[in-house]
């Protein structure tokens, strides 16, 4: 019975709160309007931001690292030539079958000294599978000149644009490189330049050289060995299930580790988190301004009705319930702003998801990385709700002050006020 | 049984840096069903005594018992609850809630008590009819005359079926015809509902309606005079 009574009383208070809200419709709509505008802005900006992060991650992962990699334990922290793992061809086949993916490619890495007729420069040499590599990396699509590698044993090389310029070589020229093989002996080879990479990524263009994995294994004395198996997935949310499957598949190979993109590129997540925090500083200012607007509205409303609240207290309304009344008024206003704001923001986000968004000049820059120039931020629950809920919390918190004032209101003093 | 018992009530105010006596050793007992008025000039302590009995103000010392409950140590929530269930107020300035209709104003206290919609609606209509406002129940206070507003205030005061109705200068804003009608209504409600009425007034016509008159001056009871019921 007590619960039923409380429910009835709450219903009565809700009705009164809703009616009080429309005593001054202009003021209420102004505040609700500010909330709707802010919510639309927050939903659109956060959706765009999250979409941008997805694109950043995809761009970065498609360039080199992939979503997951299989490596020998410890290789990520301290890459050494001798820390390759054997049975690469078989393992690749097995993982392709288990994961149902073709986007798996092996890589081996080393350092050496590349020499042309005129110069010698230290380079990073990477052995890649000519057929599989384009499926896991966007680099093969960034050739400025020449062609991509053909055949696992071909004695050919693809160089970064700056590296080729510094060596003063072009497509068709011959380059000699010297390095240390897996067993410590000298590795040397003469290869023909077949392609020049123009990635726009300084590090890659300046020092990367790619040659067929089979030839790399021969030169560096590591038959059927590699340092990484790169796995490219279609979406970020597939990372965790794929990692679980890989762990189960590799249970018999305890020397191998499965690393996700976060472990492979820790700076990427940190960068995104830093950007997210700085963006929230701006959102915070917006939320603060709207909360102050709610505070102002409610404070004005309370001051105007002080006498009436005094009467309510005199009639037997408990101070706590009176404070709840003003909180309810704020909640009603905030929920109205939330509903209409999320609706409007959702429409804007749906338009962005459907027609995409691009910054002038961005399309060309993205095209260089073999990526679409327009961002199509997906409509997501976090994108729709994070901002508006934070705004709700701020606004409700702001109305706590007028509510507290009411809680301590003395009926006689209130009834005497004008 | 006494509806109200006050013992040695003292209350002082600070006004412009000076200490003003509101109540000085006021001892009073109001029997259930009594129709009593507190009279005296402005500043004599009538309103202070009324507010203190109603739990709207607290005395500096002394003791008050309302409807069998000693309220000396009541919290604000307890005092609110006491007012909600035992006391009805009629104010000089009507003090109706402007956004609510006459019926909703009467229903308001019953809503706070947690009564169901059908019950309180039916009761509100009956009471409004009882105070002579049938047909005006959907009007907002601004659409009613002063006399009608005060009748709504009376209806609201008795809607919670209180033991005690406290009225502070209820006729001060009314003309003589409306004043007489209101007092007749009070007297009738007192008779019919057996509710105790304590009315603070300095209107001689109001005093004539009451069974007992307590005169105050400078916060003290200076005279108590009983009259035969309905002698006005």
């Amino acid at each position: 019975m007590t619960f039923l009574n409380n429910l009835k009383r709450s219903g009565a208070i809700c009705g009164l709160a809703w009616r009080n809200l429309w005593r001054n419709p202009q003021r209420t709509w102004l505040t609700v309007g500010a909330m709707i505008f802010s919510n639309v802005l927050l939903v659109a900006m956060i959706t765009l931001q999250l979409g941008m992060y997805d694109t950043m991650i995809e761009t970065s992962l498609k360039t080199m690292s992939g979503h997951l990699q299989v490596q020998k334990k410890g290789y990520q922290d301290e890459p050494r030539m001798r820390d390759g793992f054997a049975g690469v061809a078989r393992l690749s086949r097995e993982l392709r079958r288990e994961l149902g993916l073709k986007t798996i490619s092996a890589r081996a890495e080393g350092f050496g000294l590349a020499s042309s007729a005129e110069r010698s420069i230290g380079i990073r040499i990477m052995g890649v599978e000519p057929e599989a590599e384009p499926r896991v990396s966007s680099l093969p699509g960034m050739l400025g000149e020449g062609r991509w590698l053909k055949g696992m044993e071909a004695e050919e090389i693809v160089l970064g644009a700056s590296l080729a310029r510094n060596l003063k070589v072009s497509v068709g020229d011959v380059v000699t490189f010297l390095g240390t093989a897996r067993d410590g002996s000298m590795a040397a080879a003469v290869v023909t330049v077949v392609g020049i990479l123009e990635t726009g990524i300084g590090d890659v263009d300046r020092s990367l050289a790619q040659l067929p994995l089979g030839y790399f294994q021969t030169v560096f004395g590591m038959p059927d060995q590699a340092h990484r198996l790169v796995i490219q997935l279609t979406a970020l949310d597939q990372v965790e299930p794929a990692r679980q499957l890989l762990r189960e598949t590799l249970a018999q190979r305890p020397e191998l580790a499965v690393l996700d993109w976060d472990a492979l590129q820790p700076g990427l997540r940190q960068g995104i988190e830093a950007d997210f925090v700085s963006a929230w500083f701006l959102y915070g200012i917006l939320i603060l301004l709207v909360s102050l607007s709610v505070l102002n509205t409610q404070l004005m409303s309370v001051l105007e009705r002080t006498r009436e609240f005094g009467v309510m207290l005199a009639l037997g309304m408990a101070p706590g319930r009176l404070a709840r009344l003003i909180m309810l008024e704020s909640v009603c206003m905030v929920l109205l702003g939330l509903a209409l704001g999320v609706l409007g923001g959702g429409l804007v986000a749906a338009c962005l998801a459907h027609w995409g968004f691009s910054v002038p000049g961005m399309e060309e820059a993205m095209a260089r990385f073999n990526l679409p120039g327009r961002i199509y931020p997906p409509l997501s629950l976090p994108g729709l709700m994070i901002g508006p809920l934070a705004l709700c919390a701020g606004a409700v918190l702001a109305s706590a002050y007028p509510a507290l004032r009411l809680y301590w209101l003395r009926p006689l003093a209130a009834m005497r006020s004008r | 049984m006494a509806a109200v018992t006050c013992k040695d009530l003292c209350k002082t105010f600070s006004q412009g840096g000076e200490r003003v006596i509101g109540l000085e050793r006021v001892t009073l007992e109001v029997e259930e069903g009594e129709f009593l008025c507190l009279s005296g000039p402005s500043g004599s302590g009538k309103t202070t005594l009324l507010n203190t009995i109603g739990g709207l103000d607290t005395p500096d010392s002394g003791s008050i018992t309302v409807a069998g409950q000693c309220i000396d140590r009541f919290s604000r929530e307890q005092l609110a609850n006491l007012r909600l269930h035992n006391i009805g107020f009629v104010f000089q300035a009507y003090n109706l809630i402007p956004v609510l209709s006459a019926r909703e104003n009467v229903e308001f206290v019953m809503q706070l008590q947690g009564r169901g919609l059908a019950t309180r609606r039916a009761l509100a209509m009956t009471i409004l009819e009882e105070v002579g406002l049938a047909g005006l129940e959907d009007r907002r206070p601004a659409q009613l005359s002063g006399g009608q507003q005060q009748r709504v205030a009376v209806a609201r005061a008795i809607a919670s079926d209180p033991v005690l109705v406290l009225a502070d200068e209820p006729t001060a804003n009314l003309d003589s015809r409306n004043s007489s009608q209101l007092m007749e209504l009070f007297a009738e409600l007192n008779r019919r509902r057996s509710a105790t009425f304590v009315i603070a007034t300095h209107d001689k016509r109001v005093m004539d309606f009451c069974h007992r008159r307590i005169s105050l001056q400078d916060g003290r009871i200076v005279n108590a005079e009983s009259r035969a019921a309905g002698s006005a």
Side-chain angles (χ1 to χ4, degrees):
Chain A
M1 275 307 280
T2 310
F3 173 74
L4 208 62
N5 276 349
N6 284 341
L7 205 67
K8 282 175 189 168
R9 286 173 195 175
S10 301
I13 298 291
C14 282
L16 189 62
W18 180 253
R19 209 177 300 197
N20 282 338
L21 213 53
W22 301 108
R23 282 181 172 196
N24 192 332
Q26 200 175 3
R27 189 168 58 198
T28 300
W29 273 122
L30 265 175
T31 312
V32 172
M35 295 199 67
I36 293 171
F37 174 76
S38 306
N39 279 330
V40 169
L41 203 65
L42 283 171
V43 168
M45 285 174 75
I46 292 173
T47 299
L48 198 62
Q49 198 178 5
L50 295 178
M52 197 87 89
Y53 292 154
D54 278 354
T55 307
M56 272 171 69
I57 293 168
E58 291 297 336
T59 307
S60 184
L61 302 189
K62 273 185 183 164
T63 305
M64 282 288 267
S65 72
H67 291 88
L68 291 164
Q69 283 188 11
V70 177
Q71 301 175 5
K72 196 165 182 181
K73 278 181 183 160
Y75 182 78
Q76 178 68 19
D77 297 328
E78 202 180 335
R80 288 182 300 195
M81 169 58 82
R82 64 171 178 274
D83 285 339
F85 53 93
V88 172
R90 193 176 146 204
L91 186 60
S92 291
R93 276 197 305 277
E94 199 181 326
L95 294 186
R96 279 178 188 133
R97 193 181 60 244
E98 286 295 326
L99 294 173
L101 286 173
K102 283 186 175 177
T103 49
I104 296 177
S105 182
R107 285 181 197 154
E109 298 161 333
F111 290 92
L113 189 70
S115 304
S116 64
E118 297 186 37
R119 286 189 178 174
S120 296
I121 296 171
I123 58 168
R124 185 175 153 216
I125 309 165
M126 187 183 283
V128 296
E129 293 182 85
E131 198 185 331
E133 184 67 13
R135 293 191 207 118
V136 301
S137 167
S138 57
L139 288 188
M142 296 183 204
L143 284 167
E145 276 180 63
R147 62 166 174 81
W148 180 238
L149 304 166
K150 278 184 187 169
M152 282 288 270
E153 300 295 337
E155 294 172 12
E156 49 192 37
I157 196 164
V158 168
L159 300 176
S162 305
L163 177 59
R165 214 165 26 248
N166 292 338
L167 285 170
K168 294 191 174 176
V169 294
S170 56
V171 173
D173 290 343
V174 170
V175 171
T176 305
F177 68 81
L178 293 172
T180 308
R182 187 174 185 273
D183 59 4
S185 64
M186 183 172 285
V190 179
V191 286
T192 304
V193 178
V194 294
I196 308 288
L197 288 170
E198 278 190 37
T199 65
I201 307 166
D203 198 31
V204 171
D205 286 350
R206 207 166 36 242
S207 62
L208 185 68
Q210 290 183 312
L211 57 155
L213 181 64
Y215 186 58
F216 183 99
Q217 288 167 339
T218 306
V219 173
F220 285 89
M222 42 187 298
D224 198 24
Q225 289 189 24
H227 294 110
R228 303 169 192 264
L229 259 181
V230 181
I231 299 155
Q232 190 72 246
L233 303 169
T234 49
L236 285 172
D237 58 7
Q238 293 175 357
V239 169
E240 201 45 47
R243 182 160 65 169
Q244 284 300 326
L245 196 59
L246 277 172
R247 279 186 179 152
E248 287 164 21
T249 310
L250 297 172
Q252 302 301 316
R253 305 272 312 253
E255 80 278 15
L256 297 180
V258 180
L259 303 179
D260 65 5
W261 66 272
D262 197 15
L264 294 165
Q265 298 197 49
L268 187 58
R269 185 183 286 273
Q270 284 164 10
I272 286 171
E273 282 171 357
D275 185 75
F276 202 59
V277 169
S278 64
W280 268 97
F281 181 71
L282 286 177
Y283 300 155
I285 291 173
L286 185 67
I287 289 169
L288 181 71
L289 289 176
V290 176
S291 300
L292 287 175
S293 153
V294 172
L295 172 66
N296 178 55
T297 302
Q298 291 305 75
L299 210 50
M300 287 293 291
S301 167
V302 164
L303 290 173
E304 275 175 12
R305 292 183 285 158
T306 303
R307 185 186 173 90
E308 185 182 316
F309 290 137
V311 174
M312 287 180 177
L313 287 170
L315 292 178
M317 192 177 211
R321 198 186 296 180
L322 189 58
R324 282 203 297 280
L325 174 72
I326 199 78
M327 285 296 283
L328 260 175
E329 287 180 22
S330 302
V331 168
C332 287
M333 199 157 57
V334 164
L335 287 181
L336 191 64
L338 177 83
L340 296 177
V342 169
L343 192 71
L347 281 175
V348 173
C351 289
L352 288 173
H354 188 260
W355 285 295
F357 173 84
S358 78
V359 178
M362 194 171 108
E363 294 190 16
E364 286 172 27
M366 296 293 275
R368 291 181 60 132
F369 295 93
N370 271 359
L371 289 164
R374 292 183 85 77
I375 294 172
Y376 292 87
L379 205 58
S380 65
L381 196 63
L384 279 177
M385 297 311 294
I386 291 176
L389 285 180
L391 185 64
C392 270
V396 171
L397 206 64
S399 62
Y401 173 63
L404 267 177
R405 274 181 69 116
L406 278 188
Y407 182 78
W408 294 111
L409 197 66
R410 298 279 165 182
L412 271 186
M415 283 195 291
R416 282 185 196 127
S417 73
R418 289 183 185 279
Chain B
M1 186 184 161
V4 179
T5 308
C6 303
K7 269 187 195 164
D8 291 330
L9 290 185
C10 292
K11 176 82 183 171
T12 54
F13 304 101
S14 180
Q15 210 168 51
E18 278 184 36
R19 194 170 150 271
V20 179
I21 293 170
L23 297 174
E24 193 174 1
R25 297 183 67 83
V26 171
T27 295
L28 173 70
E29 197 165 281
V30 184
E31 291 300 321
E32 267 183 16
E34 220 181 321
F35 197 72
L36 175 145
C37 75
L38 303 172
S39 67
S42 292
S44 58
K46 310 184 289 291
T47 300
T48 306
L49 181 57
L50 214 60
N51 290 336
T52 311
I53 292 170
L56 295 176
D57 209 349
T58 47
D60 297 336
S61 62
S63 176
I64 309 169
T65 302
V66 178
Q69 301 173 71
C70 176
I71 65 170
D72 298 347
R73 292 180 184 277
F74 268 24
S75 66
R76 293 165 67 227
E77 301 277 341
Q78 285 173 310
L79 285 172
N81 202 43
L82 173 88
R83 290 194 293 270
L84 181 61
H85 294 282
N86 297 289
I87 303 172
F89 281 96
V90 180
F91 304 101
Q92 179 182 338
Y94 327 133
N95 286 340
L96 299 176
I97 298 169
V99 283
L100 303 181
S101 67
R103 177 178 49 75
E104 287 165 337
N105 263 287
V106 178
E107 276 185 46
F108 181 72
V109 180
M110 292 188 274
Q111 278 184 326
L112 293 180
Q113 287 178 326
R115 294 204 206 177
L117 178 71
T119 314
R120 66 175 191 250
R121 189 143 296 180
L123 205 54
M125 294 302 282
T126 308
I127 295 168
L128 280 170
E129 204 179 319
E130 203 175 347
V131 299
L133 290 175
L136 300 178
E137 59 273 6
D138 290 326
R139 291 200 187 173
R140 297 267 173 103
Q143 298 168 308
L144 297 170
S145 70
Q148 288 168 334
Q149 284 189 57
Q150 195 59 302
R151 280 167 181 269
V152 176
V154 174
R156 180 179 65 183
I158 60 170
S160 61
D161 201 17
V163 176
L164 179 67
V165 176
L166 301 175
D168 187 12
E169 305 279 6
T171 59
N173 289 342
L174 301 179
D175 57 27
S176 57
R177 191 173 63 90
N178 274 312
S179 295
S180 297
Q181 284 176 351
L182 183 75
M183 287 316 296
E184 279 164 14
L185 178 64
F186 274 175
E188 196 183 327
L189 291 171
N190 169 249
R191 263 196 313 274
R192 205 185 307 154
R193 291 176 169 260
S194 306
T196 309
F197 278 72
V198 180
I199 304 163
T201 186
H202 52 241
D203 186 337
K204 180 76 175 66
R205 287 166 303 180
V206 172
M207 294 172 209
D208 290 343
F209 274 90
C210 297
H211 305 162
R212 187 153 66 115
R213 175 181 160 189
I214 306 287
S215 299
L216 288 130
Q217 195 164 17
D218 299 328
R220 277 176 297 176
I221 293 176
V222 290
N223 190 22
E225 180 187 327
S226 292
R227 295 164 56 88
S231 64

